[in-house]
Amino acid sequence: MQEKIKGYIDHIIFRNEDNGYTVFVLIQGKEELTCVGTFQSISPGELIEASGKYIQHHTYGDQFQIDAYEVKVPEDTQAMERYLGSGAIKGIGPALAARIVKKFGEETVRIVEEEPERLSEVKGISEKKAQEIAAQITEKADMRQAMMFLQKYGITLNLGAKIYHKYGQSLYGVLQENPYRLAEDIEGVGFKIADEIAAKIGIHTDSDYRIRSGLLYTLLQAVGEGHIYLPREILLSRAEDILGVEAEYMEKHLMDLAIERKIVVKTQGEEQRIYGSQYYYLELNTARMLAELNVQCPENPVTVEKNISRIEDGVGIELDEMQREAVRQAAGCGLFILTGGPGTGKTTTINMIIRYFEAEGMSIALAAPTGRAAKRMTETTGCEAQTIHRLLELNGMGQEEGKGIHFERNEENPLEVDVIIIDEMSMVDIHLIHALLSAVTVGTRLILVGDVDQLPSVGPGNVLRDIIRSKAFPVVELNKIFRQATQSDIVVNAHKINAGQPVALDNRSRDFFFLKRDNADIIVRVILALIQEKLPPYVQSEPFDIQVLTPMRKGLLGVERLNQILQYYLNPPSHEKKEKEVGGGLLRQGDKVMQVKNNYQLEWEVRGKYGIPVDKGVGVFNGDVGRICEINEFAEMLTVEFEEGKFADYSFKQLDELELAYAVTIHKSQGSEYSAVIIPLLNGPKMLMNRNLLYTAVTRARKCVTLVGSPQTFQEMIRNERQQKRYSSLDLRIEELGELKI
């Protein structure tokens, strides 16, 4: 049952600025009442009338939960003095508030509301200060009015504040004329939100603004799938589905967008390609910087060979011819690409390249796209590696509010090293390679290492494949499997899969097993038994380090269902574990979770003994895995401990960035390595169930691969070479630059 209360806000106990959730003490008559609720802007001293209900909090006792409220004008001089002296208006403290009330008496409320400039009549308030106070009072009233207006269209407080700060009082005109501007101007407002607002306002579905915004939105969606551009027909077809408008009505808008430089239209053969301008120029500038780094660094061949032989003798390793060639190319080229599958000696070659440059007295930086990959690089080379973001000194706050990502290392402040080696290049998208190249000066050697047969990056582009495909740079591909690697069936079978050859499923292996099951529920039971009982002692790891990799998100063996089941059995509910509902799911203390989008502004710290911070930084990235160690309901915060002891705090509003990670898609596992992987295979879409995906999944395991499911599906995946087409064109931009040079 709804009840009403009225009183003055005495003081605020807690406020979450992200979502407006506030805990405060209300003076009602002579009684104090603890109130909770969501408020767009609220200050001590304000008189409010609210409706809601009394609740009992298990920790904090009796509270009044406010569902709706209205700020009232203070009703008497005492109330006005309390309001003015509360700090609600900057520049007025209790003493000055008392003088204002003494001066104007019963007229104080009216003068503050209608004639605030008269405050200059009070001793201690100049005309300038009176104007500032008047502006604040007007701003507060305007903002409150704007928030109430925006809430009618379902806009949250946090988003409403962004809109108001961007447009001020002109927001009413923006919303009435072209609400699609919100999608372009304000982070957090996508086309769909703008479209919902437009529909409520009554803007027609064939509005020019709507069609243009929808076309840009379609391109942005394609970027989310990894594409740099879309062929014209595909763009129009997709936009038609989204907008419900026929393609012929959209044709002219493409030309308008091109004139406004929001898109770039390129013709390749008979195909017209439509790029979002940002992505066209990202590829073009990346191609230019790659070409600039591609310089010869003349070295005496005899000296190089002697140096290689000396290092071989020193470490007791004899390189094969392709590995020697890789070291030669690295020594003599400004830009060099090393590629090869598992067991082909990439790590040995990298180590020899590092030793070669060390012997020359050169400084070397090692990096990889993810924390996991960087950690593995450190372990295999014995030299410290870091994430590319850390190498570039990520600063989470952009140069402008809301612009997000900013690297301290760039054209103006380049990396001061002689050699940079980047591993797991297949994971690097167009944004990251562009940022890296911007910080590398001509003369610095850049060595890119990766397996071109892995899945492409989660972000847009197909960087490694395109660079190799351009044939403009020195590339060495290692394809010989070394004898020690042939002892691992993971390596041998991975290469068979990649070559499209049949794989024996007779379970005579020590590290590659296939358990035949034809029912999804039975497969789930087998997965649980493997994680809980069988695999931990076999691979000498914790259940936490055993990863389920599945091709799909949906379905009986999809990520969503598997995570729910695995959570229940591997981290069961308990009175001692706090929980938080997110979307349609649940996060529980102790859960294994994954960050599912790049957050360049999220702060983290490494805690030493007694929880004292010993290191800190910003940025948690798509694919980072950790464990929930605390859920604080009062502060509305959740803390995750990521690998390498990094602790990051999430507000409840940010929890859509986290997902359970007992099972993850194979795509999300890129660049990671696990003690053991379990891969359920039964059936699925033809496009997904392909060789490339299976190869990537198998190569994620260090000690053991266990496939559970249908042998037919497994063999069909090996035979299926079809991959989801990724529209990228870095190779063409590189070739164009080469032609210009000629």
Side-chain angles (χ1 to χ4, degrees), residues 383-397:
C383 304
E384 189 186 349
Q386 55 195 321
T387 62
I388 300 171
H389 294 90
R390 196 115 199 245
L391 174 72
L392 298 176
E393 297 173 21
L394 173 72
N395 178 348
M397 292 309 295

Side-chain angles (χ1 to χ4, degrees), residues 211 234 267 338 372 384 509 534 558 578 652 703:
I211 291 171
I234 292 175
T267 301
L338 176 67
R372 265 194 173 196
E384 189 186 349
S509 170
K534 307 285 186 192
K578 288 184 179 172
F652 280 3
K703 295 180 180 176

